[in-house]
Amino acid sequence: MRHVKLGQLVILVGTALLVNLPQVVAPLTVLAQQGSTLRQGFPGRRIGGGTRGDCGVSDKKLTALVPDNMLSVTAAASPSFFYYIPDELTSKQVEFVLRDQDENSFYATALTLPNRPGIISLSLPSSAALSVNQDYHWYFSIICDNRDRSGDIVVDGWIRRVDLPSALATRLRAANPLEQAALYREAGIWNEALTALAGLRRNRANDPAIAQRWEELLESIDLGAIAQEPLTNAYSGTPQ
């Protein structure tokens, strides 16, 4: 396996990834079609800060698996969100809130974290379908003290749904799951790249090729430090 760099684009070349150069580069038009804001930074926080009270303090932090510009791109109407939960925050209560680009309430749910550390996922229900080309602001809050929410550990960021170009959709139908993850990644559709690899990693935890792709994906957004953490619970959200 070797890497060929085209500017900031890295193409993985080898027999394990059966996607040729024209097929990979073409989907990059997805980003160009969505406007320059996809390349700009959005306000947000993907690493939970210092804690106090019932949550304690640790070197490992609550982490949202999102690009460092805080904007995830999805082609799904009801996408999944991924968070790393360190050991000291297990079994805590969580509130997930999604607001539209004007900060109006769009969706909210609550859940209890698993009793073991790792990466969880939370999927929106079909009743909370995102509109195309709209930005949504999400908040993921771990509740340290129900009597004083000022001590919550919070990460927040943005997600935008885009149309899936027909040419890319055709290539995805002809690709296997590992190839699909690569196509989504090169198209800049972060959420589906992450979701596809997470599904493979859950089902084929001992496959070294999948482990390598997962690590490469997280390292591409400077989150390689949590690439070895296990995937734990997958939640399907229900409204509060």
Side-chain angles (χ1 to χ4, degrees), residues 185-234:
R185 177 181 174 183
E186 301 306 338
I189 303 177
W190 168 259
N191 257 64
E192 275 61 66
L194 183 65
T195 301
L197 279 176
L200 287 169
R201 194 160 179 258
R202 288 185 193 277
N203 296 327
R204 294 158 56 182
N206 297 320
D207 189 320
I210 292 171
Q212 179 183 350
R213 297 294 181 274
W214 177 262
E215 185 172 353
E216 289 170 349
L217 184 65
L218 294 191
E219 286 179 346
S220 73
I221 57 167
D222 298 323
L223 291 181
I226 61 172
Q228 303 305 316
E229 298 291 344
L231 275 80
T232 58
N233 292 33

Side-chain angles (χ1 to χ4, degrees), residues 58-85:
S58 170
D59 290 337
K60 294 186 176 181
K61 306 294 184 184
L62 169 67
T63 305
L65 277 63
V66 296
D68 57 9
N69 72 345
M70 303 309 300
L71 175 65
S72 299
V73 178
T74 184
S78 302
S80 297
F81 301 79
F82 291 80
Y83 304 95
Y84 166 63
I85 310 297

Side-chain angles (χ1 to χ4, degrees), residues 14-28:
T15 57
L17 189 61
L18 304 179
V19 182
N20 63 35
L21 182 60
Q23 288 177 317
V24 173
V25 173
L28 288 173

